[in-house]
Coordinates of all heavy atoms in Angstrom, one line a residue:
L288 N -124.2 -80.9 -102.4 CA -125.0 -80.6 -103.6 C -126.1 -81.8 -104.0 O -127.2 -81.5 -104.3 CB -124.1 -80.5 -104.9 CG -123.2 -79.3 -104.9 CD1 -122.3 -79.2 -106.1 CD2 -124.1 -78.1 -104.9
L289 N -125.6 -83.1 -103.6 CA -126.5 -84.2 -103.8 C -127.7 -84.1 -102.9 O -128.8 -84.3 -103.3 CB -125.8 -85.4 -103.6 CG -125.0 -86.0 -104.7 CD1 -124.3 -87.3 -104.3 CD2 -125.7 -86.2 -106.1
Y290 N -127.3 -83.7 -101.6 CA -128.4 -83.6 -100.6 C -129.4 -82.5 -100.9 O -130.6 -82.5 -100.8 CB -127.8 -83.3 -99.2 CG -128.9 -83.1 -98.2 CD1 -129.7 -84.1 -97.6 CD2 -129.2 -81.8 -97.7 CE1 -130.7 -83.9 -96.7 CE2 -130.2 -81.6 -96.8 CZ -130.9 -82.6 -96.3 OH -131.9 -82.4 -95.4
S291 N -128.9 -81.3 -101.4 CA -129.8 -80.2 -101.7 C -130.8 -80.5 -102.9 O -131.8 -79.9 -103.0 CB -128.9 -79.0 -102.2 OG -128.2 -79.2 -103.4
R292 N -130.4 -81.7 -103.6 CA -131.3 -82.1 -104.7 C -132.2 -83.2 -104.3 O -133.4 -83.3 -104.7 CB -130.5 -82.5 -106.0 CG -129.9 -81.2 -106.7 CD -128.7 -81.5 -107.6 NE -128.3 -80.3 -108.3 CZ -127.7 -79.3 -107.8 NH1 -127.4 -79.3 -106.5 NH2 -127.3 -78.3 -108.5
N293 N -131.6 -84.2 -103.6 CA -132.5 -85.5 -103.4 C -132.9 -85.5 -101.9 O -133.7 -86.5 -101.6 CB -131.7 -86.8 -103.8 CG -130.4 -86.9 -102.9 OD1 -130.2 -86.4 -101.9 ND2 -129.4 -87.6 -103.5
K294 N -132.4 -84.7 -101.0 CA -132.8 -84.7 -99.6 C -132.5 -86.1 -98.9 O -133.3 -86.4 -98.1 CB -134.2 -84.3 -99.4 CG -134.6 -82.9 -99.9 CD -133.6 -81.8 -99.3 CE -133.9 -80.4 -99.8 NZ -132.9 -79.5 -99.3
N295 N -131.6 -86.8 -99.4 CA -131.2 -88.1 -98.8 C -130.2 -87.8 -97.6 O -129.2 -87.2 -97.8 CB -130.6 -88.9 -99.9 CG -130.2 -90.4 -99.3 OD1 -130.0 -90.6 -98.2 ND2 -130.3 -91.3 -100.3
I296 N -130.7 -88.2 -96.5 CA -129.9 -87.8 -95.2 C -128.6 -88.4 -95.2 O -127.7 -87.9 -94.6 CB -130.7 -88.2 -93.9 CG1 -130.1 -87.6 -92.7 CG2 -130.8 -89.7 -93.9 CD1 -130.3 -86.1 -92.6
K297 N -128.3 -89.5 -96.0 CA -127.1 -90.1 -96.1 C -126.0 -89.2 -96.7 O -124.9 -89.2 -96.3 CB -127.1 -91.5 -96.8 CG -127.9 -92.6 -96.2 CD -127.8 -93.9 -97.0 CE -128.6 -95.0 -96.3 NZ -128.6 -96.1 -97.1
N298 N -126.4 -88.5 -97.7 CA -125.5 -87.5 -98.3 C -125.2 -86.4 -97.4 O -124.0 -86.0 -97.3 CB -126.1 -86.9 -99.6 CG -126.4 -88.0 -100.6 OD1 -127.5 -88.1 -101.1 ND2 -125.3 -88.6 -101.1
L299 N -126.1 -85.9 -96.5 CA -125.8 -84.8 -95.6 C -124.9 -85.4 -94.5 O -123.9 -84.7 -94.1 CB -127.2 -84.5 -95.0 CG -127.0 -83.4 -93.8 CD1 -126.5 -82.1 -94.4 CD2 -128.4 -83.1 -93.2
N300 N -125.1 -86.5 -94.0 CA -124.2 -87.2 -93.1 C -122.8 -87.3 -93.6 O -121.9 -87.1 -92.9 CB -124.7 -88.5 -92.5 CG -125.9 -88.3 -91.6 OD1 -126.0 -87.2 -91.0 ND2 -126.7 -89.3 -91.4
K301 N -122.7 -87.8 -94.8 CA -121.4 -87.9 -95.4 C -120.7 -86.5 -95.6 O -119.5 -86.3 -95.2 CB -121.4 -88.5 -96.8 CG -121.8 -89.9 -96.8 CD -121.9 -90.5 -98.4 CE -122.1 -91.9 -98.3 NZ -122.3 -92.5 -99.8
C302 N -121.4 -85.4 -96.0 CA -120.8 -84.1 -96.0 C -120.4 -83.7 -94.6 O -119.3 -83.2 -94.4 CB -121.9 -83.2 -96.5 SG -121.4 -81.5 -96.5
L303 N -121.2 -83.8 -93.6 CA -120.9 -83.5 -92.2 C -119.7 -84.2 -91.6 O -118.8 -83.7 -91.0 CB -122.1 -83.7 -91.3 CG -123.4 -82.8 -91.6 CD1 -124.4 -83.2 -90.7 CD2 -123.0 -81.3 -91.4
S304 N -119.6 -85.6 -92.0 CA -118.5 -86.3 -91.5 C -117.1 -85.9 -92.1 O -116.2 -85.7 -91.4 CB -118.7 -87.8 -92.0 OG -117.6 -88.6 -91.6
I305 N -117.2 -85.6 -93.4 CA -116.0 -85.0 -94.0 C -115.5 -83.7 -93.5 O -114.4 -83.5 -93.1 CB -116.1 -85.0 -95.6 CG1 -116.5 -86.4 -96.1 CG2 -114.9 -84.4 -96.3 CD1 -117.0 -86.4 -97.6
I306 N -116.4 -82.8 -93.3 CA -116.0 -81.4 -93.0 C -115.6 -81.5 -91.5 O -114.6 -80.6 -91.1 CB -117.0 -80.3 -93.2 CG1 -118.3 -80.5 -92.4 CG2 -117.4 -80.2 -94.7 CD1 -119.1 -79.3 -92.4
N307 N -116.1 -82.4 -90.7 CA -115.7 -82.5 -89.3 C -114.3 -83.0 -89.2 O -113.5 -82.6 -88.4 CB -116.5 -83.4 -88.5 CG -117.7 -82.6 -87.8 OD1 -117.5 -82.0 -86.8 ND2 -118.9 -82.7 -88.3
K308 N -114.0 -84.0 -90.1 CA -112.6 -84.6 -90.1 C -111.6 -83.6 -90.7 O -110.5 -83.5 -90.2 CB -112.6 -85.9 -91.0 CG -113.4 -87.0 -90.3 CD -113.4 -88.2 -91.1 CE -112.0 -89.0 -90.9 NZ -112.0 -89.6 -89.5
I309 N -112.0 -82.8 -91.7 CA -111.2 -81.7 -92.2 C -110.9 -80.7 -91.1 O -109.8 -80.2 -90.9 CB -111.8 -81.1 -93.4 CG1 -111.9 -82.0 -94.6 CG2 -111.1 -79.7 -93.8 CD1 -112.7 -81.5 -95.8
K310 N -112.0 -80.3 -90.3 CA -111.8 -79.3 -89.2 C -110.8 -79.9 -88.3 O -110.0 -79.0 -87.7 CB -113.1 -79.1 -88.4 CG -113.1 -78.2 -87.4 CD -114.5 -77.9 -86.9 CE -114.5 -76.8 -85.8 NZ -113.9 -77.2 -84.6
D311 N -110.7 -81.1 -88.0 CA -109.7 -81.7 -87.1 C -108.3 -81.5 -87.7 O -107.4 -81.6 -86.8 CB -110.0 -83.2 -87.0 CG -111.2 -83.5 -86.0 OD1 -111.6 -82.5 -85.3 OD2 -111.7 -84.6 -86.1
C312 N -108.2 -81.3 -88.9 CA -106.8 -81.2 -89.6 C -106.4 -79.7 -89.5 O -105.2 -79.5 -89.8 CB -106.8 -81.7 -91.0 SG -107.2 -83.4 -91.1
I313 N -107.3 -78.8 -89.3 CA -107.0 -77.4 -89.4 C -106.1 -77.1 -88.0 O -106.6 -77.5 -86.9 CB -108.2 -76.5 -89.4 CG1 -109.0 -76.8 -90.8 CG2 -107.9 -75.0 -89.3 CD1 -110.3 -76.1 -90.9
I314 N -105.1 -76.4 -88.3 CA -104.2 -76.0 -87.1 C -104.7 -74.7 -86.5 O -104.8 -73.7 -87.3 CB -102.7 -75.9 -87.6 CG1 -102.4 -77.3 -88.2 CG2 -101.8 -75.5 -86.5 CD1 -101.1 -77.2 -88.9
Q315 N -104.8 -74.6 -85.2 CA -105.2 -73.4 -84.6 C -104.1 -72.9 -83.6 O -103.8 -73.7 -82.8 CB -106.5 -73.5 -83.9 CG -106.9 -72.3 -83.1 CD -108.3 -72.2 -82.5 OE1 -109.1 -73.1 -82.9 NE2 -108.6 -71.4 -81.5
L316 N -103.6 -71.7 -83.9 CA -102.7 -71.1 -82.9 C -103.4 -70.6 -81.7 O -104.2 -69.7 -81.9 CB -101.9 -70.0 -83.6 CG -100.8 -70.5 -84.7 CD1 -100.0 -69.3 -85.2 CD2 -100.0 -71.6 -84.2

């Protein structure tokens, strides 16, 4: 949401980092 408003690439990178780490926690059968 911050990135969508201020277009600061740091916010986008933080979002991407978090969802990638979350993805690593998802269990796939």
Side-chain angles (χ1 to χ4, degrees):
L288 292 175
L289 285 178
Y290 175 73
S291 67
R292 285 159 175 75
N293 61 26
K294 300 304 178 183
N295 188 329
I296 195 66
K297 290 182 179 180
N298 295 121
L299 177 62
N300 282 340
K301 286 180 181 180
C302 175
L303 295 175
S304 178
I305 296 167
I306 66 169
N307 268 285
K308 293 180 80 68
I309 291 173
K310 185 174 182 288
D311 290 339
C312 296
I313 297 175
I314 300 164
Q315 179 174 338
L316 294 186

